[in-house]
Amino acid sequence: MQHEQSSVRTTLSRDASALNLVEFWKERADIEIQEPRKTAVPHLWQWSEISPRLAVASKTVPIEECERRALVFANPGLGGKPYITSTLFAAYSLYNPGESAPVHRHTPCASRFVLEGNGGFTTVAGEKIPMSRGDLVLTPHGCWHDHGNDGTESVVWVDVLDVPLIEALNSTVFEFDYAEEGQAKTTQSITRPSGYSTRLYSYGGITPTFVDHQRGSVDHSPMFVYRWEDTREALKAMANLPGSPYDAITVEYTNPVSGGSVMPTMSHRSTLLRAGEKTVSQRKTASSVFVVLEGSGTTEIDGVRFDWKPNDVFCVPAWVWHHHEAPGGEAVLYSVTDSPSLTKLGLMRKQGRTNDGAIVELEAA
Ligand code: GTQ
Ligand code: FE2
């Protein structure tokens, strides 16, 4: 009887497989996990190691071949995929003087944060935006954009996109067939006056009533550039306030009309760590990419210490304990997180862990 049953079960397994079925009872342990799966791992990419390789690429990989000259961060836990976390894509991009990337648009939302050089620009939906170190430029889902370098020195910026998330939703579309009045074009005509975004929207708490705030296909900020001098001034003004024990002095770049994140899927932030500041350990269901803008320090992620310097990039995967320290002086970190996506799905959660080991649930953002 026993024997008969086991051979029936063997046949069932074979039949299930042939019928493209999986026996739930065999996969349960892998499906019914009690903690978010750890796929991406904590990692730091050092500018000192990558900058010389970017220089080699700038001399040997013609812009005509690559269109966008990017070295993409590949998280060591993601099997060689060009993703920095399970939901975020990021890259260092370099453009030599005179180079440009042809106009295109895509369903992933994108942003760039400038690290080196003056003369870089992005034209977004007809607005040409010159870029300098620390500036954040948005190219949200559906907005045509082209970029390049008008200056005399190479420019480097960090791109962050929600590519893996959009890919998981099977919704990735890139388009290159830009045309104006039926004529195919590789760069957009400039249809907005210079400084358009900042003239309209960079006065906190004051927004124009005479323009349509919808500038693209989805809900995103109508302000396409956030200038470093404004961010620096805000951080400076707040520097002597207590801040958050978990996030120090962190500001979010917001949509000036809605007050929400600048794009539907990602939140962009800058954090000032005061000299000697050490944050309290936290973990979130959102994952993050950090770019070091100023100073040096250490972030401990999942028990491993990562020492960072200007222009280094590191990732904090979902649900791992981490905290920052800036023992050597003031530091500024720029970061991008997928938290708005998790919030919209009711999945955003944040915990803190005090020095005595007590875990507290925190208001998640
Ligand atoms: O600058 O538009 O690194 O579309 C990857 C895809 C940059 C960009 C990337 C992109 C861009
Ligand atoms: Fe793009």
Side-chain angles (χ1 to χ4, degrees):
M1 193 61 188
Q2 193 88 43
H3 180 73
E4 219 171 273
Q5 207 174 13
S6 92
S7 83
V8 172
R9 288 280 300 262
T10 306
T11 306
L12 173 64
S13 293
R14 210 174 46 229
D15 291 351
S17 170
L19 292 165
N20 297 303
L21 298 167
V22 162
E23 296 160 287
F24 178 60
W25 47 94
K26 290 193 176 166
E27 296 293 327
R28 262 192 72 195
D30 191 47
I31 296 168
E32 299 177 335
I33 55 177
Q34 278 87 55
E35 292 262 301
R37 203 183 303 279
K38 286 188 178 161
T39 49
V41 297
H43 194 76
L44 170 82
W45 287 264
Q46 285 182 309
W47 176 246
S48 61
E49 292 185 323
I50 301 173
S51 163
R53 277 72 187 204
L54 271 173
V56 171
S58 78
K59 291 186 191 83
T60 57
V61 186
I63 197 72
E64 296 74 23
E65 176 188 334
C66 57
E67 287 212 354
R68 277 148 287 151
R69 191 184 293 99
L71 286 175
V72 183
F73 304 108
N75 189 288
L78 296 176
K81 280 207 172 348
Y83 303 158
I84 189 163
T85 70
S86 347
T87 54
L88 300 172
F89 168 110
Y92 285 125
S93 280
L94 185 150
Y95 291 86
N96 291 313
E99 289 182 340
S100 62
V103 60
H104 63 283
R105 67 177 178 179
H106 31 74
T107 51
C109 281
S111 59
R112 50 205 47 97
F113 187 74
V114 183
L115 295 183
E116 295 220 316
N118 291 304
F121 69 89
T122 301
T123 303
V124 193
E127 178 179 350
K128 183 169 180 176
I129 302 168
M131 310 183 331
S132 299
R133 184 169 173 83
D135 291 347
L136 166 64
V137 174
L138 311 181
T139 50
H141 166 179
C143 292
W144 289 104
H145 55 287
D146 55 272
H147 35 248
N149 182 354
D150 279 343
T152 55
E153 53 187 0
S154 296
V155 297
V156 177
W157 59 68
V158 174
D159 304 301
V160 182
L161 292 84
D162 53 12
V163 165
L165 178 67
I166 301 311
E167 188 60 12
L169 297 171
N170 224 351
S171 300
T172 307
V173 179
F174 276 69
E175 295 171 84
F176 299 90
D177 54 345
Y178 181 76
E180 287 174 8
E181 289 158 7
Q183 203 69 30
K185 293 195 69 188
T186 55
T187 53
Q188 298 168 77
S189 297
I190 313 301
T191 57
R192 301 290 188 190
S194 100
Y196 187 68
S197 273
T198 38
R199 277 202 242 172
L200 284 175
Y201 293 110
S202 69
Y203 302 91
I206 298 171
T207 48
T209 60
F210 54 88
V211 290
D212 184 355
H213 300 312
Q214 187 86 30
R215 297 183 72 183
S217 55
V218 295
D219 180 26
H220 59 72
S221 172
M223 181 154 106
F224 289 150
V225 58
Y226 294 72
R227 295 289 178 199
W228 175 241
E229 61 197 44
D230 294 336
T231 312
R232 193 76 188 86
E233 199 177 312
L235 290 174
K236 216 171 167 182
M238 299 175 200
N240 295 324
L241 297 171
S244 155
Y246 301 96
D247 297 305
I249 301 292
T250 293
V251 293
E252 182 183 19
Y253 299 89
T254 52
N255 176 333
V257 180
S258 71
S261 57
V262 294
M263 299 197 272
T265 50
M266 294 178 285
S267 166
H268 298 66
R269 299 161 183 205
S270 278
T271 297
L272 171 69
L273 297 168
R274 278 75 56 98
E277 186 160 17
K278 177 179 174 183
T279 61
V280 179
S281 192
Q282 62 168 297
R283 64 177 180 180
K284 301 192 274 192
T285 49
S287 58
S288 301
V289 173
F290 286 87
V291 181
V292 182
L293 192 68
E294 290 180 4
S296 59
T298 301
T299 298
E300 189 180 309
I301 316 168
D302 217 6
V304 181
R305 293 173 70 82
F306 295 91
D307 297 326
W308 37 258
K309 293 196 199 59
N311 294 6
D312 288 353
V313 168
F314 61 94
C315 64
V316 177
W319 213 235
V320 297
W321 292 109
H322 63 281
H323 71 268
H324 308 294
E325 294 171 48
E330 188 175 284
V332 178
L333 300 172
Y334 161 80
S335 64
V336 184
T337 162
D338 60 348
S339 64
S341 305
L342 288 141
T343 300
K344 289 182 173 85
L345 298 173
L347 299 171
M348 189 56 203
R349 196 173 161 202
K350 177 173 174 178
Q351 291 181 332
R353 187 175 59 186
T354 54
N355 285 339
D356 58 16
I359 293 178
V360 288
E361 292 293 327
L362 299 170
E363 194 57 46

